[in-house]
């Protein structure tokens, strides 16, 4: 039977007095009196000891001083403090000595100047169904301390997962040759853009500074074959560079030669034109004279032409009118002979055939050295 049912006199209230000596919980006044004794209380109006006002003031003052001193803190030069009041964001704290209300405000310092890095690596499948070992290092800086702390549970872990996802996406859309050789810079830029696209909706409060795409490696089982392929590609690029260098060295010379030939052709053209104009002007001057005295002009032209023709030769042919023989005077040999003698002798070209023979004899040239008619014809 329950203790609170009607007619139940045997069962007592479980929270009631168990014996006659139990008078219940202690009185509140007695608790204060005990405390007053400890801190040195005085006697009042006969009703018992009370708190001393002076002791209470001292205790409260000490508590206030301790509370105030506990609120001072320092934010380092490279940090920004995120201030919360009862868990609500109230702003950022600049570097230096600051104060906060203890048990009311909280400040979380965050380094915003240091460049941090997160590595990412793993075996990944390329678009041509090859497996490649890829390593990547993402460098970033915190730009919003509040978003870095409270926009995600762990901003570093979120960035690491985003980097791994972006890297696998980019590697999966590129061939193994591009990853190992020529396409490394493109893969680095594509991964950078993909990471920024992934983390943008999460507002992690970070900015990516750089992405370092470390040298990728093929699996160890096929590493030797890939090394040979890479060496061949490098040789190809080297040959291309050498050919380009050779072309750059030859092309200016060819252009210079072309310009020189063009200039020579222009000079030749101008010279021929000027000579033709000179001949036309000369002919224009000779035409009136020819009309006035044709015989004299014709003779003068003949003499001028013969002078031009014979001025460049050292051989003289004299046609004798008295006989059919043509006498040949080797003036070049006679001049060489005269130069070798101390007193060179002159040849009188206006003398007759017999005087020419005697002149030849005086210059020590034998008469039997005169060439025959057949020899003269052969020389001519």
């Amino acid at each position: 039977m329950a203790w609170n049912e009607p007619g139940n006199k045997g069962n007592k209230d479980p929270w009631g007095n168990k014996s006659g000596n139990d008078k219940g919980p202690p009185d509140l006044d007695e608790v204060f009196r005990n405390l007053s004794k400890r801190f040195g209380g005085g006697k009042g109006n006969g009703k018992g000891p009370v708190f001393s006002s002076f002791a209470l003031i001292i205790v409260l003052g000490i508590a206030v001083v301790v509370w105030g001193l506990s609120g001072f803190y320092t934010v380092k030069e490279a940090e920004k403090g995120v201030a919360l009041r009862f868990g609500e964001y109230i702003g950022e704290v600049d570097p230096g000595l600051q104060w906060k209300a203890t048990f009311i405000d909280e400040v979380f310092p965050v380094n915003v100047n240091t460049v941090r890095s997160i590595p990412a690596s793993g075996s990944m499948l390329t678009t041509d169904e090859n497996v490649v070992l890829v390593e990547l290092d993402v460098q970033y800086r915190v730009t919003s301390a509040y978003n870095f702390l409270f926009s995600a549970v762990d901003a570093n872990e979120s960035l690491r997962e985003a980097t791994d996802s972006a890297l696998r996406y980019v590697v999966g859309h590129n061939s193994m040759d591009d990853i190992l050789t020529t396409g490394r810079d493109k893969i680095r830029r594509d991964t950078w853009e993909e990471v920024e696209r992934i983390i943008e909706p999460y507002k992690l409060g970070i900015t990516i500074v750089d992405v370092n795409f470390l040298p990728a490696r093929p699996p160890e089982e096929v590493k030797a074959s890939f090394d040979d392929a890479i060496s061949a590609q490098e040789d190809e690029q080297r040959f291309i560079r050498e050919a380009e260098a050779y072309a750059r060295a030859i092309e200016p010379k060819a252009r210079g030669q072309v310009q020189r030939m063009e200039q020579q052709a222009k000079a030749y053209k101008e010279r021929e034109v000027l000579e033709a104009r000179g001949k036309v002007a000369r002919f224009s001057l000779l035409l009136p004279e020819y009309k006035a005295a044709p015989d004299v002009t014709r003779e003068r032209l003949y003499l001028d032409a013969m002078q031009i023709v014979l001025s460049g030769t050292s051989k003289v042919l004299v046609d004798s009118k008295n006989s059919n023989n043509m006498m040949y005077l080797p003036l070049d040999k006679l001049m060489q002979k005269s130069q070798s003698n101390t007193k060179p002798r002159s040849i009188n070209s206006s003398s007759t055939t017999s005087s020419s023979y005697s002149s030849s004899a005086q210059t020590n040239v034998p008469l039997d050295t005169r060439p025959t008619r057949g020899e003269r014809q052969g020389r001519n």
Side-chain angles (χ1 to χ4, degrees), residues 40-236:
K43 293 186 178 181
N45 54 4
K47 294 183 180 180
V50 296
F51 277 110
S52 172
S53 299
F54 180 73
L56 183 59
I57 292 174
I58 292 176
V59 172
L60 292 177
I62 294 173
V64 170
V65 170
V66 172
W67 179 81
L69 293 176
S70 65
F72 287 100
Y73 66 96
T74 302
V75 179
K76 296 180 180 180
E77 184 67 24
E79 295 179 343
K80 282 280 188 179
V82 179
L84 303 179
R85 180 166 295 166
F86 296 113
E88 182 181 0
Y89 175 70
I90 60 175
E92 292 185 352
V93 181
D94 295 329
L97 182 63
Q98 306 290 344
W99 183 86
K100 64 179 177 64
T102 306
F103 307 121
I104 298 176
D105 295 344
E106 288 183 287
V107 177
F108 299 93
V110 178
N111 193 320
V112 295
N113 287 343
T114 302
V115 176
R116 314 182 186 193
S117 63
I118 288 182
S121 61
S123 298
M124 303 179 186
L125 189 66
T126 63
T127 186
D128 51 359
E129 297 182 356
N130 288 315
V131 177
V132 62
L133 303 177
V134 181
E135 295 182 4
L136 188 72
D137 186 73
V138 178
Q139 297 180 356
Y140 68 97
R141 182 184 289 111
V142 177
T143 55
S144 176
Y146 174 75
N147 291 335
F148 182 75
L149 290 176
F150 301 109
S151 290
V153 177
D154 190 347
N156 292 324
E157 188 63 26
S158 299
L159 179 60
R160 181 179 288 105
E161 294 177 356
T163 302
D164 185 75
S165 175
L167 182 59
R168 292 183 181 276
Y169 173 81
V170 174
V171 171
H173 286 77
N174 287 272
S175 63
M176 191 168 189
D177 291 338
D178 293 338
I179 297 172
L180 295 177
T181 55
T182 58
R184 295 170 49 80
D185 186 65
K186 180 179 181 299
I187 294 172
R188 168 183 168 275
R189 288 185 282 103
D190 293 346
T191 305
W192 191 337
E193 295 175 358
E194 186 67 18
V195 172
E196 289 181 341
R197 186 190 66 80
I198 293 175
I199 66 175
E200 182 179 2
Y202 296 98
K203 300 184 182 302
L204 300 179
I206 61 178
T207 299
I208 297 178
V209 177
D210 194 8
V211 175
N212 296 325
F213 188 72
L214 303 179
R217 304 186 308 275
E220 294 297 333
E221 293 79 5
V222 295
K223 187 176 183 301
S225 300
F226 272 97
D227 290 342
D228 294 339
I230 293 174
S231 298
Q233 292 178 357
E234 292 176 352
D235 292 339
E236 178 186 4

Side-chain angles (χ1 to χ4, degrees), residues 29-30 124 147 156 168 177 276 285 291 338 364 369:
D29 293 337
E30 188 172 351
M124 303 179 186
N147 291 335
N156 292 324
R168 292 183 181 276
D177 291 338
L285 295 176
K291 290 180 179 180
S338 62
N364 298 326
T369 59

